[in-house]
Amino acid sequence: MLPVNEIFETIQGEACKSGTPTVFLRLQACPVGCPWCDSKHTWVADPAHQVSIAEITAKVEDANTWAMMSPEEMLLAVEGFRARHVVITGGEPAAYDLQPLTTLLIKSGYSVQVETSGTHAIQVHPCTWVTISPKIGMPGGLVVLDEALRRGNEIKHCVGKPADIEKLLALNIPREFMPMIWLQPLSQSRKATKLCIQEATARDWRVSIQTHKFLGVR
């Protein structure tokens, strides 16, 4: 059983899977504490805000409500949409053992992606696409794990200032990752965007521009 904040269909707007019709499965609870987080309502799984599965599957706006769901119940909810790609996000999804859920989804014909801060060991089916968005020096005091970096398929790093590039370079990133690093401008800032373009060009990295925001979808 996992605490689920919401399940909805949209277009994946970031990094390698950008443009892919996607069902987002957002889990509740996150100990990382990023100051700029746009889903702070997922940080705490307060028992006072636990609701029914029906309320979660009907949810259309951000709220700190959540429901406990089994992998089978989540699959049933996902099957209510047409998209065949599922992104498990949060919160911090890697705080949980995702092997049963990812295995069930993949065996049911879905491609599966997990978005994680890299601060927890990643427990997923081997065919899961893992996006590491490394959260370095956050208030939660957690560190980015080398084993998480080794398991990831891509790195997507939020950038607001030059120091963010230096923090990324200080990580023990496996050499095979080097062509798959995405820089994502923080809050779509013009200054941050310019910095991302400059650094991606210089280092043969890539720029993630949050396509969904330009499309006007969640």
Side-chain angles (χ1 to χ4, degrees), residues 11-55:
I11 297 294
Q12 167 65 285
E14 301 177 350
C16 190
K17 304 298 184 181
S18 181
T20 305
T22 298
V23 178
F24 271 78
L25 203 164
R26 187 182 303 281
L27 302 184
Q28 189 77 9
C30 181
V32 180
C34 305
W36 65 81
C37 178
D38 58 4
S39 55
K40 291 182 178 180
H41 57 283
T42 67
W43 284 10
V44 179
D46 186 342
H49 296 136
Q50 185 173 355
V51 298
S52 69
I53 293 174
E55 289 175 270

Side-chain angles (χ1 to χ4, degrees), residues 15-202:
C16 190
K17 304 298 184 181
S18 181
T20 305
T22 298
V23 178
F24 271 78
L25 203 164
R26 187 182 303 281
L27 302 184
Q28 189 77 9
C30 181
V32 180
C34 305
W36 65 81
C37 178
D38 58 4
S39 55
K40 291 182 178 180
H41 57 283
T42 67
W43 284 10
V44 179
D46 186 342
H49 296 136
Q50 185 173 355
V51 298
S52 69
I53 293 174
E55 289 175 270
I56 288 303
T57 54
K59 193 173 181 179
V60 295
E61 59 184 24
D62 293 344
N64 57 5
T65 52
W66 56 279
M68 291 300 293
M69 298 179 67
S70 68
E72 291 76 17
E73 288 166 334
M74 285 182 266
L75 172 62
L76 184 62
V78 167
E79 288 175 336
F81 301 101
R82 297 192 65 179
R84 304 300 297 174
H85 182 64
V86 178
V87 170
I88 304 171
T89 186
E92 174 44 78
Y96 305 101
D97 181 358
L98 299 176
Q99 293 186 71
L101 175 58
T102 55
T103 298
L104 179 62
L105 288 168
I106 288 169
K107 287 186 175 181
S108 299
Y110 291 90
S111 59
V112 179
Q113 177 181 2
V114 170
E115 296 185 345
T116 171
S117 63
T119 58
H120 293 73
I122 300 166
Q123 304 172 79
V124 295
H125 185 281
C127 293
T128 304
W129 181 271
V130 177
T131 301
I132 306 289
S133 183
K135 299 303 186 292
I136 307 162
M138 293 296 112
L142 301 175
V143 298
V144 177
L145 303 179
D146 287 351
E147 65 175 287
L149 291 172
R150 289 193 297 270
R151 174 58 185 85
N153 297 98
E154 63 181 353
I155 289 178
K156 180 187 68 180
H157 187 55
C158 293
V159 174
K161 54 187 183 299
D164 295 325
I165 301 295
E166 296 305 315
K167 289 178 182 178
L168 179 61
L169 291 171
L171 292 177
N172 187 24
I173 301 173
R175 289 187 61 85
E176 59 267 26
F177 249 143
M178 300 313 288
M180 286 296 292
I181 294 179
W182 297 81
L183 303 180
Q184 187 160 289
L186 193 60
S187 301
Q188 295 182 293
S189 156
R190 183 171 298 181
K191 184 176 180 181
T193 300
K194 181 178 180 180
L195 175 61
C196 288
I197 293 172
Q198 172 186 310
E199 292 293 332
T201 302

